[in-house]
Amino acid sequence: MNYLFSKGAPRRFSIALVFLLIFQTFSPAASFAVDLPQKFDFRGSGYGHGVGMSQIGAFGMAREGKTATEILNHYYSGVEVAPVDDSAFLRINVADKIQSVTFTNESLSALPSVMQIFPGDLAPGVMEILTPAVTLPFGGSLTFSILGQALISSISDPATGAITSLPQGGIWTIRWSGTTAFPGENSLLKMKVGTTTKRYRYGQAQIKLIPGGLTSAAIIVTNTLRLHDEYLRGIGEVSSSWPSAALQAQVIAARTFGLAKKDILRKVCDCNLYSSIQDQNFVGWSKEIEAVYGKKWVEAVSITQPDPSTGLAILYKGKPIFAYYASSTGGVTENVQDVWGTPVPYLLSVPDPWSLDSTLNPTYSSWVRSISQESMAKAFNLPDVSRYEVTERTGGGAVKSISAFSTSGKSAQLTGEKFRSLLKLPSAWIQLSATLIKTDSVDEIAIAISKNLWTTSQTAIIANVEAEPEITISALAFANSQKAPLFVTSGRKLSEATIAEIKRRKITKVSFVGTLNALPSKSTIKKAGLIPTFISGADFESVALVLGLKMVGNPLILFKEESDWLATQSNTLISANTPIIWNSFEKESKAVSQFLVKRKNSGIYPLQVIDNPIPSKVFITRSLAAAILSGAWRSPIVVLGPEISDEQSIEIVRETLNLYPTIAAVTIIGSDIPANLYAGIS
């Protein structure tokens, strides 16, 4: 997700992004002769959840001559700033659930440097007495990638150009010379993922295979390094050009946040902290080598270190706090209870006038949006809106609920979050709305997913997703090519709900796709009053080929051995906008070969499919069938396995939102997912 910056301060990512809305002071009372406003003007201030330290506020206070301690004591109530042991190592997720990564070494001197690769997960900071699996000289490269469910490697020797590989293994540790556990010439580890290269100076890297279940296998890369200085030197939260006191306040807050997380190893990311602003923005070597100002950040880190094993931290009753911070506010920080529901004694509302200073915060000290009468009425589902009133605010001034009134006397209420989402006021979080499909019936799920998809189509496609998921994936591609909704049948029966939906939509043509044994009988279909056509075959491979003949484009070839995890990727597969056919790893299908020859195509594979770049939704479910069906929207799908906790699922959804800034809605499918679990996620 793209984050905008204000005077060098990133928009802080967290569970909620709250704005202070300043509404019109005059709203005409409802009457029979009222002139309807043509537009409603809204003004707001700030960006971020508003909890804890305001980064723009710290910037402003520092310019006024306040010290780092004074800044922190202002934003965190009843705390002290004192030295604590910060010698712990932190595991930072620097590449999450990727398919391929390449490592090289960069020397920081005229002498060559080397990398060592060890099997397993080595203890950080401790020199290894065992011989590494490979010592890679300067100029060599090491690539890890996923093949099926395995982690494979490719090592390029700089002298000979020979390509070799490591033994099979799911966890590897990389060390590079000039670090604590590997003395030698100072060097950097360069990590390339796709077209992006990042550089790391300190610690060591771990590469871990995450086996696929319902989803593809993936690679997680972590950088384990010392909190005291190595981690903090790479924090990229604010501009290094800021006054020293603001930089020191940011260092102390970042150190404190790391201390609060150091004993929590999250399995979902194999980390204590993500390197993104989901936790804290860790950018590695690029922070301390910033032109002109990089040394100022390094100095700020050093100043907050009384000795080699302690650093200044924010303490409440002697313990490090959860030092939340955000980019800016609406003039007052938020009481955390208003935002996240749980009271915390040191996260209370305090004045933050600096966020309203346009010289400090030019973009979000004040913003204005004009909303049309049509948009306002549509948001509240009213025939018109003559007036509105805010019915509840948080302690920090954000809207909790708002009501609107029409000339006919009708009224409707929206939460502040829903209201801002519908009217697209400036917040990534406020754009999200939630839809709950609270049923486990696949028939009803298919109807709900298709409710607002291809609404004018006179054609429908029907498949048996539970019995034939592979056919349903191919049928979805066909349905989208026909701009037609896809419904499902359960076994040999066609549900009354599905029949009613077909009649409601006045659909005249119904195509049943699948093997005949998995579809309703002709007599059953006739009793339902439908006139069908059948697209059938002996198995799912042959049915897919029949569908492919009815479509254009270079076919997407899937391997039937991977059908389980491919089912969870149906959104990406459908985004290919091409026929989907099935082949085998073990033995190439003669029918597929003939199909490709006849089409004069070579076929493409899942890794060649570009994900839909502008999805509007994210689907969350525990049902494989629901995951397949929601692929019709070509939007991200989060399939929650039984081992995924609520906290982990929130993190996964948050990662998805981070990747796709266009997402405006969350659709939760299933009766066993709490409806309010994702409320407030941004």
Side-chain angles (χ1 to χ4, degrees):
M1 179 179 288
N2 294 322
Y3 286 84
L4 298 183
F5 290 73
S6 177
K7 296 289 281 188
R11 294 180 174 184
R12 178 67 187 161
F13 179 90
S14 86
I15 298 175
L17 301 172
V18 181
F19 283 81
L20 169 64
L21 296 183
I22 306 172
F23 291 95
Q24 292 171 299
T25 56
F26 175 75
S27 293
S31 70
F32 292 107
V34 69
D35 290 329
L36 284 177
Q38 295 303 301
K39 64 184 180 69
F40 299 84
D41 292 329
F42 295 93
R43 297 178 181 272
S45 300
Y47 184 89
H49 55 66
V51 175
M53 183 179 71
S54 160
Q55 291 169 313
I56 289 294
F59 176 47
M61 291 183 71
R63 284 179 43 142
E64 293 173 1
K66 298 295 190 294
T67 66
T69 298
E70 288 173 324
I71 292 169
L72 296 170
N73 279 322
H74 173 76
Y75 284 108
Y76 303 104
S77 304
V79 302
E80 63 172 333
V81 177
V84 297
D85 181 354
D86 65 347
S87 60
F89 285 87
L90 294 178
R91 197 177 185 98
I92 312 302
N93 181 296
V94 294
D96 196 51
K97 299 177 183 64
I98 57 175
Q99 295 294 301
S100 182
V101 58
T102 297
F103 298 98
T104 54
N105 193 224
E106 178 182 331
S107 179
L108 292 177
S109 70
L111 299 175
S113 53
V114 298
M115 286 193 303
Q116 292 181 338
I117 300 96
F118 296 87
D121 194 348
L122 302 188
V126 180
M127 293 183 64
E128 185 57 52
I129 60 174
L130 298 177
T131 303
V134 172
T135 297
L136 192 61
F138 182 74
S141 67
L142 168 63
T143 297
F144 290 99
S145 56
I146 294 296
L147 179 62
Q149 295 295 322
L151 179 67
I152 61 172
S153 60
S154 175
I155 303 169
S156 174
D157 187 291
T160 66
I163 304 296
T164 57
S165 61
L166 294 167
Q168 285 292 318
I171 302 177
W172 295 91
T173 298
I174 299 178
R175 287 179 171 174
W176 52 102
S177 59
T179 53
T180 304
F182 185 13
E185 294 302 318
N186 289 344
S187 66
L188 303 173
L189 179 71
K190 296 174 67 175
M191 179 183 75
K192 184 176 182 181
V193 179
T195 59
T196 301
T197 299
K198 297 181 180 180
R199 299 188 292 171
Y200 302 98
R201 171 70 183 88
Y202 309 108
Q204 62 186 28
Q206 291 78 27
I207 295 84
K208 186 174 183 179
L209 169 68
I210 304 300
L214 294 176
T215 58
S216 170
I219 299 169
I220 285 178
V221 183
T222 53
N223 181 197
T224 302
L225 66 177
R226 195 177 181 219
L227 168 60
H228 177 74
D229 48 6
E230 296 175 343
Y231 172 62
L232 293 173
R233 287 187 176 193
I235 293 294
E237 281 285 349
V238 296
S239 170
S240 298
S241 66
W242 280 12
S244 295
L247 298 183
Q248 292 168 37
Q250 180 63 64
V251 170
I252 296 169
R255 175 185 289 115
T256 308
F257 194 83
L259 286 168
K261 297 280 190 175
K262 71 181 178 64
D263 295 323
I264 305 170
L265 184 66
R266 292 181 276 186
K267 291 182 179 180
V268 69
C269 63
D270 190 36
C271 70
N272 302 112
L273 295 162
Y274 284 97
S275 60
S276 70
I277 53 177
Q278 179 175 334
D279 281 321
Q280 296 190 129
N281 191 28
F282 175 74
V283 297
W285 180 244
S286 63
K287 182 63 176 176
E288 62 179 287
I289 61 162
E290 288 175 335
V292 182
Y293 295 110
K295 61 183 180 181
K296 282 192 63 181
W297 177 255
V298 175
E299 289 172 359
V301 174
S302 299
I303 290 170
T304 65
Q305 299 165 339
D307 59 58
S309 61
T310 64
L312 296 179
I314 311 164
L315 309 179
Y316 183 81
K317 293 185 177 181
K319 295 182 178 181
I321 69 170
F322 282 92
Y324 295 107
Y325 49 89
S327 176
S328 61
T329 73
V332 180
T333 68
E334 289 279 67
N335 184 327
V336 69
Q337 186 173 8
D338 285 338
V339 179
W340 297 321
T342 302
V344 178
Y346 50 79
L347 295 176
L348 305 177
S349 292
V350 299
D352 180 39
W354 305 276
S355 285
L356 301 181
D357 186 333
S358 61
T359 61
L360 302 176
N361 191 17
T363 305
Y364 288 104
S365 60
S366 178
W367 49 258
V368 179
R369 296 294 184 274
S370 292
I371 306 301
S372 69
Q373 168 67 222
E374 180 184 10
S375 296
M376 194 77 162
K378 184 178 179 181
F380 285 97
N381 196 26
L382 292 171
D384 54 48
V385 173
S386 62
R387 66 184 180 92
Y388 64 86
E389 62 182 52
V390 176
T391 55
E392 187 178 6
R393 291 184 184 271
T394 68
V399 175
K400 265 193 170 182
S401 62
I402 180 172
S403 295
F405 305 86
S406 74
T407 54
S408 63
K410 292 182 178 180
S411 66
Q413 186 178 69
L414 294 171
T415 65
E417 294 81 1
K418 181 72 172 179
F419 169 71
R420 290 174 292 183
S421 175
L422 291 172
L423 297 181
K424 299 179 182 178
L425 297 175
S427 167
W429 177 71
I430 61 167
Q431 293 176 355
L432 287 176
S433 61
T435 300
L436 176 63
I437 303 175
K438 195 172 183 179
T439 178
D440 298 314
S441 164
V442 292
D443 308 75
E444 295 173 359
I445 289 171
I447 293 168
I449 288 173
S450 298
K451 207 76 173 181
N452 298 306
L453 194 67
W454 314 128
T455 55
T456 61
S457 175
Q458 297 297 295
T459 302
I461 312 300
I462 294 180
N464 190 333
V465 67
E466 292 180 310
E468 298 180 329
E470 296 90 351
I471 286 178
T472 306
I473 293 174
S474 298
L476 265 177
F478 175 67
N480 269 26
S481 74
Q482 301 297 304
K483 297 184 178 180
L486 184 139
F487 302 118
V488 301
T489 177
S490 299
R492 304 286 285 174
K493 296 181 179 180
L494 197 59
S495 72
E496 292 182 4
T498 299
I499 295 170
E501 178 66 4
I502 290 172
K503 291 182 177 179
R504 183 192 71 81
R505 294 175 64 145
K506 298 180 181 179
I507 289 172
T508 57
K509 298 178 181 179
V510 180
S511 295
F512 288 82
V513 179
T515 63
L516 292 178
N517 289 335
L519 299 174
S521 65
K522 292 182 179 180
S523 60
T524 300
I525 296 170
K526 186 176 180 180
K527 286 180 182 178
L530 304 177
I531 302 175
T533 58
F534 286 84
I535 302 174
S536 191
D539 49 37
F540 69 84
E541 296 98 326
S542 60
V543 174
L545 291 175
V546 174
L547 289 169
L549 291 172
K550 298 177 179 293
M551 300 172 63
V552 298
N554 196 4
L556 174 60
I557 301 174
L558 307 183
F559 292 111
K560 61 183 181 180
E561 291 87 352
E562 295 184 329
S563 60
D564 281 348
W565 78 262
L566 283 169
T568 68
Q569 311 299 312
S570 62
N571 60 310
T572 302
L573 305 179
I574 304 306
S575 294
N577 290 318
T578 193
I580 294 176
I581 62 177
W582 296 83
N583 209 335
S584 173
F585 272 136
E586 299 174 356
K587 185 179 179 181
E588 186 175 7
S589 167
K590 184 178 180 180
V592 169
S593 298
Q594 292 174 341
F595 177 87
L596 295 174
V597 169
K598 185 175 181 180
R599 291 287 290 267
K600 297 181 180 180
N601 290 132
S602 59
I604 60 174
Y605 295 87
L607 290 179
Q608 295 172 267
V609 178
I610 299 175
D611 199 1
N612 181 19
I614 50 170
S616 61
K617 295 174 176 284
V618 57
F619 290 86
I620 306 166
T621 184
R622 296 189 188 279
S623 163
L624 189 60
I628 293 172
L629 295 171
S630 56
W633 280 91
R634 294 182 290 182
S635 288
I637 304 164
V638 176
V639 184
L640 304 177
E643 74 285 356
I644 300 296
S645 68
D646 287 350
E647 180 184 6
Q648 289 172 325
S649 74
I650 290 172
E651 291 181 0
I652 293 168
V653 173
R654 196 176 287 146
E655 291 170 7
T656 305
L657 299 176
N658 219 13
L659 288 171
Y660 300 101
T662 58
I663 288 177
V666 176
T667 298
I668 304 164
I669 306 173
S671 62
D672 59 345
I673 301 177
N676 63 347
L677 185 60
Y678 307 100
I681 276 190
S682 171

